[in-house]
Amino acid sequence: MRILFIGSRLFNDVADYASSRGVTTILSESNPEAPNLELADSCFIVPRGMDAPLEIALREDVDAVVPLIGVDGPLRDVARLKTELEESYGIPVVASGEGAAEISTDKLKTKEFFMKNGIKTPAYAIIETSHEVKGFPTVLKQREGQGGSNIKVASSYTDVEEYLGSHESAIMEEYIQGVEISVEVLRWDGQTFPLVAVDKGPTSTEGIHPLGKVKRAPAVIEGFSGDEALKMASRITELLGAEGNTDVDMILSEEGILYAIEVNTRPSGTRYISEAATGINPMHSLVDMAMGDWNPNKFKRENYNAVEIPLGNPGNIESLMPEGVKWLLHGPQNHMRLTARAENREKLDLIMKRLRVI
């Protein structure tokens, strides 16, 4: 089995697993200084875009393609690559198609998709002046962007005017006070499997970046069943026709109402905590999908408590780990995160106390 992986930044998450399954790994990457290049059986440094990966896929006679792209920008090009390789050459590409990518990478189209399908989402409007704002706080967004970029929680008309000073218009969205919830959904060949509801912390008018928050899984919130989030995420993914790994972001309001916020058709930043809580590695599933060997009916979901903590550059923290806790440090230097799992939440609370997080 020969698989082309596009993008090296996340390749370390799949390299060993693919090799253990007898896969010949071929990697394409546009940055010669990118990490993980040495982990592949063969690597090609190519110009940006999908023309070169298309050429490599055909020249190297690959059996499947797995894009490992964690940003929104190239997803529409990936979707077009998927169309050409699958329809013209019969080579499966483990990624979402053009329709799903078009909606997920455009926040306005995402909101329209939610409304069209009767999915609860915060009220919104397009504004060009501050006079169109009816109340505060309110959320201002652009049609494109991720990880909190170009998003502002405005608390005054001055905030709105400053934002519109840099943007001709904005999507104005109702601010919901509550808890941010995220669910990764694996979907391939008509089968759907949601992983776990991840608690990403309370909503904030400060607009804290998701990587700067403590996350917990499964989400344990009074009056809330994680099953509700799993069902909503699965329904959204299926209606969208997304494939591979999809991340659905929601907010659970203080009144207990679940709102859909965004959907991202790419590997998720919650993949480590999702695996820690369930024992199911979403990145390994992408390899299984490419091999035609992905069957969610065979999954044995484990039920652990997991936490992910941003630490920066933590140094040696092994002595802080209680007995029976499994843990992993990941992320770039000075922006590292600790993901840990245990059979009970008390051990994880102890870690956070020792790290002075709580």
Side-chain angles (χ1 to χ4, degrees):
M1 183 80 181
R2 296 169 64 81
I3 298 179
L4 170 63
F5 296 89
I6 303 175
S8 71
R9 189 173 67 85
L10 307 183
F11 184 60
N12 61 311
D13 287 342
V14 299
D16 287 345
Y17 180 72
S19 295
S20 74
R21 299 220 55 196
V23 172
T24 298
T25 58
I26 302 163
L27 181 63
S28 73
E29 170 59 52
S30 61
N31 178 8
E33 303 300 322
N36 308 317
L37 302 178
E38 75 286 354
L39 300 180
D41 292 315
S42 59
C43 177
F44 298 90
I45 302 300
V46 300
R48 289 184 179 274
M50 293 299 127
D51 289 343
L54 171 63
E55 179 185 338
I56 293 168
L58 299 178
R59 186 181 70 235
E60 296 294 316
D61 193 26
V62 303
D63 299 290
V65 176
V66 178
L68 298 175
I69 295 173
V71 294
D72 288 345
L75 294 182
R76 296 182 192 181
D77 290 337
V78 168
R80 286 188 283 270
L81 173 71
K82 176 183 177 73
T83 298
E84 183 164 359
L85 284 177
E86 291 187 346
E87 294 185 359
S88 299
Y89 301 97
I91 300 173
V93 178
V94 184
S96 286
E98 294 184 61
E102 186 75 19
I103 292 170
S104 68
T105 57
D106 184 323
K107 290 182 172 59
L108 179 57
K109 290 184 178 180
T110 302
K111 297 292 286 187
E112 293 170 345
F113 166 80
F114 290 153
M115 296 292 290
K116 177 183 176 181
N117 289 285
I119 297 165
K120 191 78 172 177
T121 190
Y124 72 101
I126 305 298
I127 64 167
E128 296 181 351
T129 69
S130 62
H131 303 296
E132 298 170 80
V133 180
K134 303 302 181 184
F136 297 98
T138 191
V139 182
L140 304 177
K141 300 179 176 180
Q142 294 299 294
R143 295 181 68 159
E144 297 184 1
Q146 68 181 76
S149 65
N150 292 322
I151 296 179
K152 182 179 182 65
V153 181
S155 300
S156 66
Y157 287 108
T158 300
D159 286 345
V160 178
E161 289 164 2
E162 288 178 354
Y163 186 88
L164 292 175
S166 302
H167 307 281
E168 293 182 359
S169 62
I171 302 171
M172 178 182 67
E173 184 178 79
E174 175 189 7
Y175 176 79
I176 304 293
Q177 187 65 53
V179 178
E180 294 185 51
I181 303 289
S182 183
V183 175
E184 285 183 74
V185 182
L186 302 172
R187 185 169 184 269
W188 188 249
D189 197 24
Q191 297 187 90
T192 304
F193 191 90
L195 290 176
V196 64
V198 177
D199 175 350
K200 296 166 69 175
T203 56
S204 168
T205 57
E206 298 174 3
I208 301 172
H209 191 284
L211 294 181
K213 292 185 176 183
V214 172
K215 304 176 181 67
R216 303 198 70 151
V220 179
I221 302 166
E222 185 177 355
F224 169 69
S225 168
D227 289 343
E228 181 183 358
L230 300 187
K231 289 177 182 177
M232 176 181 277
S234 295
R235 179 167 179 253
I236 288 170
T237 302
E238 290 172 353
L239 287 169
L240 196 61
E243 293 187 299
N245 189 357
T246 299
D247 174 59
V248 180
D249 293 331
M250 296 162 271
I251 292 176
L252 178 68
S253 73
E254 292 180 334
E255 296 74 30
I257 300 171
L258 193 62
Y259 294 85
I261 304 297
E262 292 184 7
V263 54
N264 304 296
T265 53
R266 50 177 167 77
S268 171
T270 62
R271 60 190 181 276
Y272 291 103
I273 191 170
S274 292
E275 180 189 6
T278 65
I280 299 167
N281 187 310
M283 301 298 283
H284 293 179
S285 279
L286 301 182
V287 176
D288 295 338
M289 292 172 186
M291 297 182 70
D293 189 30
W294 186 74
N295 184 354
N297 294 320
K298 294 182 179 179
F299 282 157
K300 294 181 180 179
R301 185 194 295 270
E302 299 175 3
N303 295 299
Y304 288 98
N305 293 278
V307 66
E308 185 168 299
I309 307 168
L311 294 179
N313 191 9
N316 185 359
I317 62 170
E318 186 171 358
S319 62
L320 303 179
M321 297 297 117
E323 185 177 351
V325 172
K326 290 190 175 182
W327 57 280
L328 172 72
L329 284 174
H330 54 95
Q333 192 71 20
N334 299 321
H335 297 280
M336 300 193 77
R337 287 169 285 162
L338 167 71
T339 297
R341 79 177 191 184
E343 293 182 354
N344 60 68
R345 290 171 62 91
E346 288 73 21
K347 288 187 177 181
L348 301 182
D349 288 341
L350 179 58
I351 294 171
M352 290 194 284
K353 288 178 181 177
R354 290 174 175 175
L355 290 171
R356 299 182 180 179
V357 175
I358 60 173

